Amino acid sequence: MSVVTRFAPSPTGFLHIGGARTALFNWLYARHMGGKYLLRIEDTDRKRSTPEAIDAILDGLHWLGLSPDEEPVFQFSCRDRHAEVVQQLLDQGLAYRCYCTPEELEAMREKAKAEKRSMRYDGTWRDRDPVDAPADITPVIRFKALEDGETVINDAVQGAVTIANSEMDDLIMLRADGTPTYMLSVVVDDHDMEITHVIRGDDHLTNAFRQTHIFNALGWTPPIYAHIPLIHGPDGAKLSKRHGALGVDAYRDMGYLPEAVLNYLCRLGWSHGDDEFFSLDQAISWFDIADINKGASRFDFDKLSNLNGKYIDDAPPARLIELSRHGIEETLGKPLSKIAEQRLTKGMPSLKSRSNTIPQLIENSSFYFLERPLAFDAKAKKALTGEALSHLASVRSSLGSLSEWKQENIEAAVKDYVKTADIKLGTVAQPLRAAFTGTNISPGIFEVAAILGREEALGRIDDAVARQ
RNA sequence: GACCCCAUCGUCUAGAGGCCUAGGACACCACUCUUUCACAGUGGAGACACGGGUUCGACUCCCGUUGGGGUCGCCA
């Protein structure tokens, strides 16, 4: 039987990083097994589901390259089928109507809490005669859970997990308004979509028991469950939308490359020996549920950044410029000029090893697109004082008489000057750097000068000298 | 509170009873390289939560303790 996995987010917000990893693991496993990876939008909660969230999820998945193999399934569109299944259960005596009001249920929980008991539904209407039913209340339909024995789930990640059936209460399958709940819908849809492996967050582990019971009641075979540990925030608590989790779009905006995020996510909870930096193809060939860890892990931006730096290093200049364009034009307040783009292209190879994120890259390459006169930061100003200025003026004149403006010639000229003046290279290199870039940090200045071009480079030196 | 899960350097992890003097990666600290900053390279510091078993031998198996996490919705 061919493997079918699914990612089943609820459209109540952005696609957060934990969801992204769940999608990734489902995707990887399907790819590894030569199976299918599907997407199901769990939108049965009509009050909280929004089209914006659906778009955000689709966008996020697309950005990461984790779009599903088939059109997404919208759970709510299957509601008739869900209701039909509930009716069947009702007919078989495996479900019943419950007339408790939300207030009564709340009181029930409070009481249980006060008495330090488990806060479960007490089964009030399970065996109660329907003639007692209050006429003014529309009932919900509950599943008649098993009362005795215990249930074992052989989770592909967690191993055998056992829970006493008495721990499970009669969950609601159909709301008073007639719409199906998640617990019922997942079962029906996973069955109908022929899902073979359910890879999802650990927070669903207890749900797996309820779902197994529904599968059994329906005479269906449950899928193989694989509950992956959650990703925690730096504080060690579950990362969720309401607890510091960011949408994948935020990672994109922070300048992370999708392949870096994917590579990092792979290493959170899964490993292949000591491999840290690997391609998606390698991940596909290596991925196995058996190698997923059981313990939760914490999200570490430092490591993501480091990985991102490696991917930036591997990226071609043209792509990096495209990724930077928006940010550059924002700081520039106008479109990137052709000449600046050419400079960036030439300078990119030595720029990219200095940056871990796109904003950093933009910052580090700003002197290639910023126009004269450059603003000097504090360090640059300090480098442009006293003797430095006279050195600059002298170097400027020998540079000005260069027959051909290319890196070797520039370097030779500056080094000649250094030799004649009997000073250290740094004595003139730092002021030059300040003049060319407005800062004290940059790639080699001979390269920078060459890329800037004669007119621009000499002009910047003039600007620096004229400051006094 | 009840139930369930988890537990190796600060973080992510390797480790399937002897291969472990516990390995790698990030972060950190030195040094090398060097016109600055990075990159790279070299070195350093840094962990098997604790207590009992089992075994000739436990990071690895069992039990307990402690710690952390998750779930207990007409949310998913």
Side-chain angles (χ1 to χ4, degrees), chain A residues 264-461:
Chain A
Y264 177 69
L265 250 22
C266 276
R267 292 289 292 110
L268 231 43
W270 174 81
S271 60
H272 181 264
D274 284 337
D275 293 306
E276 299 278 353
F277 184 60
F278 45 79
S279 71
L280 221 41
D281 283 341
Q282 285 173 302
I284 290 171
S285 72
W286 293 336
F287 192 81
D288 190 354
I289 294 178
D291 297 318
I292 296 177
N293 285 152
K294 300 170 97 176
S297 47
R298 298 189 190 202
F299 197 89
D300 181 11
F301 273 100
D302 283 338
K303 191 149 181 177
L304 206 213
S305 294
N306 175 273
L307 216 40
N308 202 54
K310 290 183 195 293
Y311 280 97
I312 283 182
D313 226 355
D314 283 356
R319 179 177 175 210
L320 294 173
I321 288 171
E322 283 326 302
L323 289 170
S324 305
R325 188 179 298 275
H326 180 72
I328 289 176
E329 297 187 342
E330 211 161 55
T331 59
L332 227 38
K334 60 178 182 181
L336 183 61
S337 71
K338 203 70 208 155
I339 176 87
E341 185 170 337
Q342 282 166 359
R343 286 177 188 150
L344 283 172
T345 304
K346 289 184 197 155
M348 206 46 90
S350 39
L351 243 17
K352 52 186 194 175
S353 70
R354 281 152 229 270
S355 313
N356 281 343
T357 65
I358 297 299
Q360 257 177 41
L361 182 65
I362 293 174
E363 164 86 30
N364 293 342
S365 58
S366 61
F367 59 89
Y368 278 136
F369 59 79
L370 254 20
E371 293 168 9
R372 288 180 52 201
L374 256 40
F376 299 105
D377 69 14
K379 294 277 180 59
K381 282 177 184 157
K382 202 176 167 197
L384 293 172
T385 51
E387 283 202 353
L389 292 171
S390 59
H391 286 310
L392 261 193
S394 312
V395 167
R396 194 257 183 248
S397 72
S398 63
L399 247 26
S401 59
L402 240 35
S403 59
E404 199 188 350
W405 190 263
K406 56 179 203 177
Q407 187 171 332
E408 302 84 274
N409 296 359
I410 298 165
E411 179 163 358
V414 173
K415 286 190 168 164
D416 267 356
Y417 174 76
V418 163
K419 203 168 179 185
T420 336
D422 193 25
I423 52 175
K424 291 167 88 174
L425 180 54
T427 308
V428 69
Q430 275 309 87
L432 273 176
R433 189 183 315 281
F436 291 151
T437 70
T439 73
N440 65 327
I441 297 168
S442 80
I445 49 155
F446 306 126
E447 174 188 321
V448 170
I451 291 174
L452 284 174
R454 168 181 243 126
E455 192 189 344
E456 182 71 19
L458 294 179
R460 289 187 185 194
I461 296 176

Side-chain angles (χ1 to χ4, degrees), chain A residues 215-262:
Chain A
F215 268 104
N216 292 154
L218 257 8
W220 298 339
T221 308
I224 291 170
Y225 288 109
H227 288 93
I228 62 179
L230 301 175
I231 297 175
H232 287 169
D235 65 343
K238 176 184 177 182
L239 206 54
S240 70
K241 287 169 202 166
R242 19 186 194 276
H243 181 82
L246 299 168
V248 294
D249 58 310
Y251 292 86
R252 178 180 53 203
D253 295 346
M254 285 186 284
Y256 293 104
L257 269 37
E259 58 267 44
V261 173
L262 250 18

